[in-house]
Amino acid sequence: MDDAALERSAMRRIGWRLVPFLILAYFVSFLDRVNVGFAAIQMNHDVGLSATVFGWGAGIFFLGYFLMEIPSNLMLERFGARLWIARIMATWGLISAAMALVQGPWSFIALRFLLGLAEAGFFPGVILYLTYWFPSAYRARIIGIFMISIPISSFLGSPISGALLNVTGFGLAGWQWLFILEGLPAVVLAVAVLWFLPDGPREAAWLPAAERDWLERQLRSEAARNTRRGAPAKPPLWEILRDRRLALFAAIYFGSTASSYGLSFWTPQIVKSFGLGNVETGLLNSIPYGFASLAMVLWGRHSDRTVERRWHLALSFLVLALGLAGGTVLSGLGPVVAALTVAAVGVYMLKGPFWALATEQMPPATAAASIAAINAVGNLGGFLGPYLIGAIKDGTGSFTLSLLPLVAFALLSAALSLVPGRAPRPDRGTPRPSTV
């Protein structure tokens, strides 16, 4: 087989072997992270949470996440992806199920903080793990395909979560059953990780030797190009964190997470405010994420085929800002759901181009710490966005006004996306075949 045939075969084999399982794992992860938005429909009344306290507790997840993100990703690099990802999934599943024990504001805030500590490192760990298997020319589409689990978790999880709110028994309310039944699958998947995920291509018995050799040559070649551009073999952590590109990418991602989690945590309550039942709320809440799933994959493929990242990223943020702005001026259930759909499409279109650009600009020697730092700092937007929505809702009584800060974040991130980068772009040679 020539190199082109080896490339097609290897990318197809690896894609079908690893990506579906990682999608399932992240589906469960994201569902456990944002199902609090549905639980709040009942829980806030039952345990006495105001909109501000709920926004604070929903967002404090990301403070715990921030504190553990870099240490967790460095642990993954040290102990191997298989063992560390399994550890992350088991602990977050147990803590997510324990959310059923919430009795008031302080227990709610404490468990959300612990959930952030437990889950830290999973997403950047998987992004790092994908760089072990896919050359840079494939990463936008692969990351887009992997991250389709985010909108799918809301698309499928919304009606499921809405229905679970009607489950009662053994003295537990529907919101308590929601946490228990959606938390335990992560523990089961943690065991499956130990059997299913090899630490890297060299440990993959199912990958033919010729394809493994081609992949390792390709990844070594990319690493060598980065090294020749001045990347030291293994710089100290403090030197990695001084890189101005990390600050730029973290600022861009901050706008993404502020909007993404603001929508995820509050959209169920926005839709519910029109007087719908739990099941109807779940079904309507799924509509934006169905469109977002399709847009995410198509936009990531287009970014790879055109070998362009920055304009794909900036245009995604502009679509997000347009949808959020529409939500502030439109009224009525149909127009508001349409505006939220446009916003969801924008926020998920940007995922593939963003992470492809970030991983292309970071030398492999610094990838673990760099990806974790960008994700950790950027995810602080997941704290600020939900909190601002809750505080503005309590202060004004309006959900529409609470979306205005998210519009500002999206526009700022769109502008930052076009800041010229110093690191090289992917090879502009022959376009890669669409094998995955």
Side-chain angles (χ1 to χ4, degrees):
M1 298 176 68
D2 61 19
D3 277 358
L6 285 172
E7 178 177 359
R8 287 192 298 270
S9 179
M11 293 295 94
R12 184 179 298 112
R13 191 187 309 274
I14 293 168
W16 281 108
R17 176 80 183 196
L18 298 180
V19 175
F21 182 82
L22 292 172
I23 287 174
L24 177 62
Y26 200 43
F27 171 91
V28 174
S29 163
F30 203 80
L31 185 63
D32 287 344
R33 185 184 299 185
V34 302
N35 59 8
V36 68
F38 269 93
I41 293 172
Q42 294 178 348
M43 177 182 66
N44 287 5
H45 176 268
D46 288 355
V47 302
L49 304 181
S50 68
T52 301
V53 170
F54 171 76
W56 173 266
I60 204 171
F61 168 97
F62 295 99
L63 293 183
Y65 198 87
F66 170 79
L67 293 174
M68 280 297 296
E69 188 81 328
I70 294 176
S72 183
N73 225 33
L74 295 177
M75 290 290 186
L76 181 144
E77 192 176 42
R78 177 177 180 181
F79 294 112
R82 184 175 61 90
L83 181 62
W84 198 249
I85 289 175
R87 194 285 304 164
I88 292 172
M89 295 187 71
T91 51
W92 104 51
L94 292 172
I95 294 173
S96 182
M99 287 288 296
L101 303 176
V102 167
Q103 298 294 312
W106 289 111
S107 57
F108 173 64
I109 290 171
L111 283 170
R112 287 292 295 179
F113 180 76
L114 290 175
L115 185 62
L117 291 175
E119 194 183 322
F122 178 74
F123 172 76
V126 171
I127 296 298
L128 176 64
Y129 184 66
L130 291 173
T131 68
Y132 299 163
W133 296 90
F134 294 99
S136 62
Y138 289 89
R139 286 181 194 158
R141 78 190 77 173
I142 291 298
I143 292 170
I145 292 171
F146 161 65
M147 294 186 73
I148 200 174
S149 51
I150 302 177
I152 285 179
S153 69
S154 295
F155 178 69
L156 298 178
S158 292
I160 293 172
S161 297
L164 288 177
L165 290 177
N166 295 326
V167 175
T168 56
F170 298 97
L172 300 177
W175 63 270
Q176 293 173 302
W177 280 113
L178 183 153
F179 283 128
I180 294 170
L181 296 177
E182 292 185 351
L184 293 181
V187 181
V188 176
L189 283 175
V191 178
V193 165
L194 297 173
W195 296 97
F196 203 82
L197 290 187
D199 284 323
R202 187 53 55 184
E203 289 75 35
W206 42 267
L207 189 63
E211 296 177 13
R212 184 186 307 120
D213 291 342
W214 170 84
L215 176 60
E216 291 181 338
R217 287 197 308 271
Q218 186 72 18
L219 295 176
R220 280 198 303 269
S221 176
E222 291 184 0
R225 287 198 297 271
N226 277 337
T227 301
R228 285 198 298 270
R229 289 170 189 130
K234 192 70 174 179
L237 179 61
W238 65 267
E239 187 173 325
I240 295 172
L241 298 180
R242 288 178 57 196
D243 191 330
R244 293 180 180 178
R245 290 170 297 181
L246 263 66
L248 174 63
F249 284 124
I252 294 170
Y253 203 53
F254 186 96
S256 167
T257 57
S259 301
S260 177
Y261 291 110
L263 290 171
S264 296
F265 292 144
W266 286 101
T267 296
Q269 294 180 67
I270 294 174
V271 174
K272 178 74 172 179
S273 68
F274 286 94
L276 301 178
N278 294 332
V279 175
E280 291 84 358
T281 297
L283 291 172
L284 273 180
N285 190 71
S286 70
I287 291 175
Y289 301 100
F291 287 98
S293 301
L294 180 62
M296 174 184 281
V297 174
L298 295 179
W299 200 238
R301 285 180 177 272
H302 191 267
S303 176
D304 276 346
R305 288 173 180 170
T306 58
V307 199
E308 201 287 320
R309 308 299 189 204
R310 293 189 179 278
W311 278 104
H312 280 77
L313 186 55
L315 289 173
S316 300
F317 275 113
L318 291 176
V319 172
L320 168 61
L322 177 64
L324 291 170
T328 67
V329 298
L330 297 174
S331 59
L333 179 60
V336 168
V337 170
L340 294 175
T341 298
V342 173
V345 166
V347 85
Y348 290 111
M349 282 169 58
L350 65 88
K351 303 292 187 181
F354 175 83
W355 285 109
L357 179 63
T359 57
E360 287 162 5
Q361 297 221 351
M362 296 298 137
T366 70
S370 298
I371 294 170
I374 293 167
N375 197 58
V377 177
N379 265 294
L380 290 177
F383 167 74
L384 186 60
Y387 172 73
L388 286 176
I389 292 177
I392 295 172
K393 169 63 169 60
D394 271 345
T396 66
S398 170
F399 274 121
T400 56
L401 291 177
S402 65
L403 296 178
L404 287 174
L406 304 188
V407 177
F409 289 140
L411 291 175
L412 177 59
S413 291
L416 292 175
S417 299
L418 299 177
V419 173
R422 296 177 297 171
R425 296 165 57 80
D427 185 7
R428 284 187 175 274
T430 304
R432 300 294 187 189
S434 181
T435 59
V436 290

